[in-house]
Amino acid sequence: MRLNVELSKAYRLLNHGPTILVSARYNGKQNIMAAAWACALDFDPPKITVVIDKSAYTRELIEASTTFAINVPCVAQVDIVRKVGTTSGRDLVETDKFSEYGLETFSATEIDAPLLKGCVAWLECKLIPEPHNQNTYDLFIAEVVAAHADERVFSDGHWHFEGHDELRTIHHIAGGAFFATGVAIQA
Amino acid sequence: MRLNVELSKAYRLLNHGPTILVSARYNGKQNIMAAAWACALDFDPPKITVVIDKSAYTRELIEASTTFAINVPCVAQVDIVRKVGTTSGRDLVETDKFSEYGLETFSATEIDAPLLKGCVAWLECKLIPEPHNQNTYDLFIAEVVAAHADERVFSDGHWHFEGHDELRTIHHIAGGAFFATGVAIQA
């Protein structure tokens, strides 16, 4: 079951630095891409940063719609993450990555971007336009306007992956090499 | 043994989203703080972003010296990370966090910031001044001018934590709750 995550706790979905998928939709076109460079920026209202290359088709859709979703994928999805991270939706004619790769989605609540089923958390984002950052650094800043999580691994503001190794979040290094989020440690 | 990391591979030290320690020195004063919100921004020359609150003493030293180091701590250091992350160097008179907590350092090669022994990677950074980002978002952008790693867990551009659980990098969620970097997965 998916539950809504309190906005003041939304940063915890990204705080441990997982690799994420960015999805967006504009004017009937939709796309999804992988991004390792996403980061929390503020607590409440929650803001995030994400780096999106100028060549990315998703960037076009984000700049046009001014909204996007961050989907937090899990171990069971590494091959999908790799696939959507190494192909461009721009190369697909009369189809998109979702139908091409059999990816099921569900609707966001506050924005129009497709949310990917099978992920373990989702953040719905509204772009805070910062043309200098976007043009110079490919750096996008957004406010998180809604957040959701798979209650099997995140509830009451905390991740709890024990017993759900396939639902652990993932951390990309390079070339399809990932680490799963590991054991919990309390300082 | 510490080895130098090729600058074009330096992003791999942060790509998996570990929690880091930021250290800086200016005019004889030095400090170190924890930050979960650090992220790669570019490959080559490598750039990074890090979020540093206006109240942070380290921020003063960074803005004055225009340099800082990112230290990547490991499981063995969670208590140190928690400690330097929950106290302010500004409250220490005639001492600093390093002597207060018995933290040993070594010299950086390109900048003046102290590097913390026992960490598993270090990135020496030169601030790229962006006053709007700094003032509005507490967001700092820097170029990485040198990088080093503990060769027991990082060499030839790759992390290899197997057999070194105490040297695994860590990922903070909230309130001293961390995850260790987990098992390697190849997509």
Side-chain angles (χ1 to χ4, degrees):
Chain A
M1 280 286 289
R2 286 188 294 269
L3 48 78
N4 292 325
V5 175
E6 209 182 317
L7 280 179
S8 64
K9 301 281 168 61
Y11 76 93
R12 297 186 182 185
L13 301 173
L14 292 183
N15 218 68
H16 61 305
T19 290
I20 56 102
L21 300 172
V22 182
S23 58
R25 182 186 287 142
Y26 180 70
N27 204 12
K29 300 285 188 185
Q30 57 183 14
N31 200 37
I32 187 163
M33 62 174 277
W37 298 351
C39 195
L41 177 66
D42 209 348
F43 293 103
D44 196 10
K47 296 191 190 79
I48 60 97
T49 56
V50 60
V51 179
I52 302 178
D53 194 71
K54 287 182 182 62
S55 66
Y57 180 42
T58 304
R59 178 165 168 164
E60 251 182 74
L61 303 178
I62 291 173
E63 291 182 320
S65 68
T66 71
T67 63
F68 62 92
I70 287 182
N71 309 258
V72 183
C74 62
V75 166
Q77 295 173 303
V78 282
D79 292 331
I80 290 170
V81 173
R82 177 81 170 138
K83 210 174 277 179
V84 302
T86 53
T87 56
S88 174
R90 199 176 274 122
D91 300 333
L92 301 172
V93 186
E94 290 179 24
T95 177
D96 61 31
K97 286 189 192 174
F98 299 95
S99 47
E100 193 71 9
Y101 303 132
L103 305 180
E104 288 186 85
T105 63
F106 63 100
S107 295
T109 57
E110 302 295 325
I111 63 171
D112 186 35
L115 305 187
L116 182 64
K117 284 188 184 173
C119 287
V120 291
W122 302 265
L123 297 95
E124 303 183 19
C125 301
K126 285 191 178 168
L127 190 63
I128 299 173
E130 287 285 0
H132 170 67
N133 285 332
Q134 294 166 211
N135 295 331
T136 308
Y137 300 111
D138 299 332
L139 179 68
F140 290 74
I141 293 177
E143 181 175 337
V144 179
V145 294
H148 322 278
D150 183 326
E151 65 176 357
R152 289 175 295 174
V153 291
F154 189 94
S155 58
D156 294 328
H158 295 280
W159 289 104
H160 38 78
F161 294 113
E162 302 74 23
H164 296 286
D165 284 348
E166 285 293 293
L167 299 180
R168 286 179 186 271
T169 49
I170 57 175
H171 306 258
H172 190 238
I173 300 293
F178 294 85
F179 290 110
T181 302
V183 297
I185 300 170
Q186 183 66 42
Chain B
M1 281 285 289
R2 288 187 295 268
L3 48 76
N4 293 324
V5 175
E6 210 180 316
L7 280 179
S8 66
K9 301 280 168 61
Y11 77 93
R12 296 185 182 184
L13 301 174
L14 292 184
N15 217 68
H16 61 305
T19 291
I20 55 102
L21 301 172
V22 182
S23 58
R25 182 188 287 142
Y26 180 70
N27 204 13
K29 301 285 190 185
Q30 56 183 13
N31 200 37
I32 187 164
M33 62 173 279
W37 299 352
C39 194
L41 177 66
D42 209 346
F43 294 102
D44 197 9
K47 295 191 191 79
I48 59 98
T49 56
V50 61
V51 179
I52 303 178
D53 193 72
K54 287 180 183 64
S55 67
Y57 180 42
T58 303
R59 179 164 168 165
E60 250 182 75
L61 303 178
I62 292 172
E63 291 182 319
S65 67
T66 72
T67 63
F68 62 92
I70 287 181
N71 308 259
V72 183
C74 62
V75 167
Q77 295 173 303
V78 282
D79 292 331
I80 290 170
V81 173
R82 177 81 169 139
K83 210 174 279 182
V84 303
T86 52
T87 56
S88 174
R90 200 175 275 122
D91 300 333
L92 301 172
V93 186
E94 291 178 25
T95 178
D96 61 31
K97 286 189 192 174
F98 297 95
S99 47
E100 193 72 10
Y101 303 133
L103 305 179
E104 287 186 87
T105 63
F106 63 101
S107 294
T109 58
E110 302 295 325
I111 63 171
D112 186 36
L115 305 187
L116 182 63
K117 283 189 186 174
C119 287
V120 292
W122 303 265
L123 298 96
E124 303 183 19
C125 301
K126 285 192 177 167
L127 191 62
I128 298 173
E130 288 284 2
H132 171 68
N133 286 332
Q134 295 166 211
N135 296 332
T136 309
Y137 301 112
D138 298 332
L139 178 69
F140 290 74
I141 294 178
E143 182 175 338
V144 180
V145 293
H148 322 278
D150 182 326
E151 67 176 356
R152 289 175 294 174
V153 291
F154 188 94
S155 58
D156 294 328
H158 295 281
W159 290 104
H160 36 78
F161 294 112
E162 303 73 22
H164 297 287
D165 284 347
E166 285 293 293
L167 299 180
R168 286 179 185 272
T169 49
I170 57 176
H171 307 258
H172 191 237
I173 299 295
F178 294 84
F179 289 110
T181 302
V183 297
I185 300 170
Q186 184 64 42

